[in-house]
Amino acid sequence: MDVEVVSILMPARPDDLPFDLRSLEIFLAVCEAGGMAAAARRVGLTQPAVSTAVAELEARLGAGLFDRTVRPLALTPAGALLRQRASALISEARQIAPGLREVARGRLPLVRLGLVDSLSRALAAPLAGHLAARADQVSILSGLTSAHAGALVTRNLDLMIGVDDLGDVAGLERWPIATETYLLALPRGTHVGTVADLAALARELTFVRFSARSSTGVEIERHLRRLGLELPRGLEFDTPYGVAATVAAGGHFAVTTPLCVLEAACDVAGVSFAPTPGPRLTRRLTLVALARVLGRLPQDVAEFARARLAAEALPAIEAASPALAGAIEIG
Amino acid sequence: MDVEVVSILMPARPDDLPFDLRSLEIFLAVCEAGGMAAAARRVGLTQPAVSTAVAELEARLGAGLFDRTVRPLALTPAGALLRQRASALISEARQIAPGLREVARGRLPLVRLGLVDSLSRALAAPLAGHLAARADQVSILSGLTSAHAGALVTRNLDLMIGVDDLGDVAGLERWPIATETYLLALPRGTHVGTVADLAALARELTFVRFSARSSTGVEIERHLRRLGLELPRGLEFDTPYGVAATVAAGGHFAVTTPLCVLEAACDVAGVSFAPTPGPRLTRRLTLVALARVLGRLPQDVAEFARARLAAEALPAIEAASPALAGAIEIG
DNA sequence: TCATACTATAAATTCTTTTTATATTGAGCG
DNA sequence: CGCTCAATATAAAAAGAATTTATAGTATGA
C-alpha cells in the first residue's frame, strides 16, 4: 500500500541525475589515491563513508566501477570512462563560481566582442577603449558575422555587432546600431537607371562580389537573382577593402554599402554611387548579446557605437560622397 | 572556543564546490518557471524548500541571483550567467550515465578511430568491418596524425593509428602496428650511394616533399638537414598519393615509405627504391587509445591491423618492389 | 486600501550521510 | 596451506541536511 502511495505522490520527479558532484569527487579521489582507505584520508572522511558512497554510485549508475577481486583496486572500463568524464565535469563546475562573483561585483573579468569587418575601422579602436574601462580584459575580434554568431551561441563570445540579429535564437538581447542601403559603386560618369542598364554594364565591366561566406555577399546575391540578373562569376573578396579597392582601380563595379566603403579607406574620387535599380535593399547592423548577463553593458556599447558613428563615420562618408551619406541612418 | 575546535578539525576539507547538481536543477527550475512557488510545483517540492535552496546557493556563491524587489522575479547579471553555465553543466552530466551503462555491458555506443593517411587504403575498410561488430556506431577519420592526436586528448576521438605515440601524455595505452624505413624513390636506373650523389641528383630532378603539416614531412626534413642537405622548396603534398604519383610521372624524386607508396596505389614500375644515404631513418606506426576505457578493444584492433597488414599489404608491397618490402616490419 | 499571490523564516520531521564497531576478503609470506 | 596484515564491506548509531508544515512579511493590481 505504501508503495502505491509513493508512486502516486512522486510521479513528476524522475530525479534523472544518478550522481552528485560530491560523489564524483569521492570517486575521483579513490581513482587518484588508488584505494578507498587512502581516498578517505585525502578527502577527510572515514573509510566506510567512501565505501558506501562508491557502492551507492555504482548502484545508481547501474555499472560497476571498480574490480574488487584484485588488489590494488582496478578500474573497470565503465570506471575508466567515468573517471574521464567526471574530472572534466568537476573542473568545469569549479570555474563557475569565481566568474560569477566578479560579475556580481559589477566587474567583468573578460569581455569578448565580435565586430563585423565593415565596422572594424570605424569602431574597433574606440570600442576597445570604451570596454577597457569596464572590464579587466577585452578581446575584440573582427570577422564575418556568421562566425561570430556561432561563437556567441556557444559562449565563445559575449557580444557581437553584425548584420544578423539571430532572430531565431532565444535568450539574446538586441540593440540597433545602424541601417544602410546597398548602392551600386560604378566608375564616375556611368549612368544606371534600369535593370537592363545594369545587364548592359556587366558586359563592359567586371562585377566584384562579396564572398558567399559573408552574409552581405549572400544578401546581394539574393537581391540580384530577384532582379533577374545573372552576373558572371568573376572576382570575389571576403573583406570590404578588396571590393572597394578593385572598383576604385577602375574597370569594375560592385554593390556595396557606405560603411563598407568607409572601412576600405581607399580613394573613391573616381567612383560614383547610385541606388540599385528596382526595390531598395537594406542591411541592419545590430548588437547582439546574451540576455541580461552583462547588465547595462550591451545597451551602453550600442549607444556608444551609434554616437561614434554619428560623430566620426558620418562626416567621413559625407566627405567621400554625399550620395553615400544619404544611404546610412544611425539607429 | 568552539570556533577554534572546528577550525582545527576540518582544515583539510575546503569543500571547494559551492553547489551540487541538485541545487542547480532547482535554480534552473526557478528560472524557467519564473518564480519559486511555480518551480516548487514543477520539481515536486514545497515552496519553502525551493526558497531555502536558492538562498543557500546565493550564500555559498557569494552573489545574489534574483532581484526580489520586483515581481515576477528577475535574474541579476550573476544569475543570468549562472543560468547559462548551469544548464550547460547539467546537460553534460545527463549524458554521462547512459554511455557508461553501455560500456559496462561491453557494448560500445560509438567508436571513433583516427587513421593516418598512409594506412587509409590498407586498413580503413577492414577496420570499419571489424569495429562494426563491436560498436553500435563507427566513425573512421583519415587525416594527419597531428590533428588526430589533438582530437584524442580532447576526447573527440577514441582511438588513433598514427606516427606519434604521444609519449608525453599520461593515461594512454599504446600498441605497436608496424615499423618502416624511409627510402629514396627515384626514377629507375638512378644510383645514389652518397650524400654527395643526392645533392647532385637534386640539380637534375625536383625533390617532392610531404608537407610540414604532416609529421612524416617534418621527420624527413629534419633528417635531410642532419645530412647537411639543403634541397630547394618545390612541390609539396599533404597526402601520400600526391608524392607517389608525381615521382611515378618521372622527373622527380622523394623520400617516402612502403606504406605511403601502397596507399598511393599508383603504378611504380618506373620507380626504384633505395636506402637513404647516411643513417637509417624509421617511423613507427602506433595505435593509441585512452587507457582502459575500451577494455580489450585497442589490443584487438592492433592485432587485427597487424594481421591485415601482414596478409594483404605485405604481398602487395612485395609485388610492387622487393626493395620496398624489405623496409617494413609488422609489429 | 484591500485582496491575492508570492516569498521568507521558524520549528518539527524525515531522510541522507557519516561515524563507530565489527565482519569479511584478498595479498604476501613462511 | 595457513597465518598475518591491510584493505574493503556491512550494521547500527549519530550527526547533519534537506524537506515539510505553519506562519509572517511583501509586492502587485483592482
Side-chain angles (χ1 to χ4, degrees):
Chain A
M1 293 204 305
D2 268 49
V3 172
E4 185 103 272
V5 172
V6 168
S7 76
I8 286 167
L9 286 177
M10 340 183 35
R13 192 176 152 195
D15 199 4
D16 24 42
L17 287 173
F19 48 74
D20 228 340
L21 294 180
R22 177 105 188 106
S23 60
L24 293 186
E25 279 189 312
I26 294 174
F27 167 73
L28 288 178
V30 176
C31 294
E32 283 158 30
M36 306 212 191
R41 263 168 261 135
R42 178 183 298 215
V43 296
L45 294 178
T46 57
Q47 172 267 316
V50 173
S51 177
T52 54
V54 170
E56 171 88 11
L57 187 59
E58 289 178 311
R60 282 209 220 262
L61 287 171
L65 299 173
F66 294 102
D67 179 359
R68 273 106 162 162
T69 66
V70 67
R71 221 133 53 185
L73 233 49
L75 280 166
T76 63
L81 182 57
L82 182 62
R83 183 179 185 177
Q84 306 273 352
R85 300 293 178 82
S87 71
L89 196 73
I90 285 191
S91 72
E92 277 175 52
R94 273 194 233 283
Q95 290 171 6
I96 292 180
L100 223 57
R101 266 188 285 270
E102 294 214 52
V103 168
R105 289 207 192 84
R107 232 9 240 169
L108 300 169
L110 168 64
V111 172
R112 297 155 303 179
L113 167 69
L115 196 58
V116 63
D117 280 320
S118 45
L119 285 174
S120 180
R121 183 179 304 271
L123 291 179
L127 278 178
H130 187 252
L131 287 173
R134 288 159 182 78
D136 297 333
Q137 199 189 331
V138 176
S139 168
I140 297 193
L141 306 164
S142 296
L144 301 175
T145 295
S146 56
H148 292 160
L152 188 70
V153 301
T154 57
R155 275 181 282 103
N156 289 314
L157 216 52
D158 304 299
L159 290 163
M160 61 167 265
I161 299 181
V163 292
D164 182 353
D165 70 356
L166 280 76
D168 50 343
V169 181
L172 301 176
E173 56 182 284
R174 302 167 180 86
W175 301 93
I177 302 296
T179 305
E180 295 187 293
T181 304
Y182 286 91
L183 295 174
L184 282 168
L186 310 151
R188 186 167 290 279
T190 319
H191 176 76
V192 172
T194 65
V195 176
D197 290 351
L198 198 56
L201 188 69
R203 282 189 284 276
E204 291 173 37
L205 301 174
T206 308
F207 182 61
V208 186
R209 283 184 160 73
F210 284 91
S211 141
R213 296 204 306 129
S214 72
S215 17
T216 296
V218 172
E219 282 287 337
I220 293 174
E221 214 56 34
R222 191 181 305 152
H223 189 65
L224 292 175
R225 208 162 19 230
R226 232 170 337 199
L227 294 180
L229 271 173
E230 189 71 47
L231 298 178
R233 297 234 138 251
L235 275 173
E236 72 175 40
F237 293 93
D238 256 10
T239 55
Y241 175 77
V243 174
T246 309
V247 173
H252 299 82
F253 74 108
V255 174
T256 185
T257 73
L259 285 169
C260 286
V261 174
L262 176 67
E263 170 69 17
C266 59
D267 183 15
V268 290
V271 182
S272 74
F273 298 93
T276 53
R280 280 183 4 146
L281 174 65
T282 61
R283 68 171 196 173
R284 172 177 290 283
L285 294 158
T286 311
L287 181 147
V288 186
L290 292 178
R292 281 184 300 269
V293 172
L294 300 170
R296 271 189 54 85
L297 187 80
Q299 189 177 352
D300 281 350
V301 170
E303 260 166 42
F304 178 82
R306 286 194 299 266
R308 195 75 193 190
L309 286 177
E312 311 272 331
L314 273 189
I317 291 172
E318 179 89 42
S321 155
L324 270 181
I328 178 169
E329 198 180 323
I330 306 300
Chain B
M1 291 202 310
D2 269 65
V3 172
E4 185 102 275
V5 171
V6 168
S7 78
I8 287 169
L9 285 176
M10 342 181 38
R13 193 177 155 194
D15 200 3
D16 28 37
L17 286 173
F19 48 74
D20 56 26
L21 296 178
R22 176 110 187 101
S23 60
L24 293 186
E25 279 190 311
I26 294 173
F27 166 73
L28 287 178
V30 176
C31 294
E32 282 159 31
M36 305 211 190
R41 264 169 260 135
R42 181 184 293 217
V43 297
L45 293 179
T46 58
Q47 171 268 315
V50 172
S51 178
T52 54
V54 170
E56 171 87 12
L57 187 59
E58 288 177 313
R60 284 209 219 262
L61 286 170
L65 299 173
F66 294 102
D67 180 358
R68 273 104 161 163
T69 66
V70 67
R71 232 150 24 199
L73 233 48
L75 281 166
T76 62
L81 183 57
L82 181 63
R83 183 179 184 175
Q84 304 272 354
R85 300 294 177 82
S87 71
L89 195 74
I90 285 191
S91 72
E92 276 175 53
R94 272 193 233 286
Q95 290 171 4
I96 293 180
L100 221 59
R101 265 188 287 271
E102 295 214 52
V103 168
R105 288 205 195 86
R107 239 358 246 172
L108 300 169
L110 168 64
V111 172
R112 297 155 302 179
L113 167 68
L115 196 59
V116 64
D117 279 321
S118 45
L119 285 174
S120 180
R121 185 179 303 270
L123 292 180
L127 278 177
H130 188 253
L131 287 172
R134 289 159 181 77
D136 298 332
Q137 199 189 332
V138 175
S139 169
I140 296 193
L141 307 164
S142 296
L144 301 175
T145 295
S146 55
H148 292 159
L152 188 70
V153 300
T154 57
R155 275 180 283 103
N156 290 313
L157 217 51
D158 304 299
L159 291 162
M160 60 169 264
I161 300 181
V163 293
D164 182 353
D165 70 357
L166 278 75
D168 48 344
V169 181
L172 300 176
E173 55 182 283
R174 300 167 181 86
W175 301 92
I177 302 294
T179 305
E180 295 187 292
T181 304
Y182 286 92
L183 295 174
L184 282 168
L186 309 151
R188 184 166 291 280
T190 319
H191 177 76
V192 172
T194 66
V195 177
D197 289 350
L198 198 55
L201 187 67
R203 281 189 285 278
E204 290 173 36
L205 301 175
T206 309
F207 182 62
V208 187
R209 284 184 159 74
F210 284 90
S211 143
R213 297 204 306 129
S214 72
S215 18
T216 296
V218 171
E219 281 287 337
I220 293 173
E221 215 55 35
R222 190 180 307 151
H223 189 65
L224 291 175
R225 208 162 21 232
R226 230 171 337 200
L227 293 180
L229 271 174
E230 189 72 45
L231 297 178
R233 297 236 139 249
L235 276 174
E236 71 175 41
F237 294 93
D238 256 10
T239 55
Y241 175 77
V243 174
T246 310
V247 173
H252 299 82
F253 74 107
V255 174
T256 185
T257 73
L259 284 170
C260 287
V261 173
L262 176 67
E263 170 69 16
C266 59
D267 184 15
V268 290
V271 182
S272 73
F273 299 93
T276 54
R280 280 185 1 150
L281 174 63
T282 60
R283 68 172 196 173
R284 172 176 291 282
L285 294 157
T286 312
L287 181 147
V288 186
L290 293 177
R292 278 183 303 267
V293 173
L294 299 170
R296 270 189 54 84
L297 186 80
Q299 189 177 352
D300 281 351
V301 171
E303 259 166 43
F304 178 83
R306 286 195 299 265
R308 194 75 192 191
L309 287 177
E312 311 271 332
L314 273 188
I317 292 172
E318 178 89 41
S321 155
L324 271 181
I328 178 168
E329 197 179 326
I330 306 300

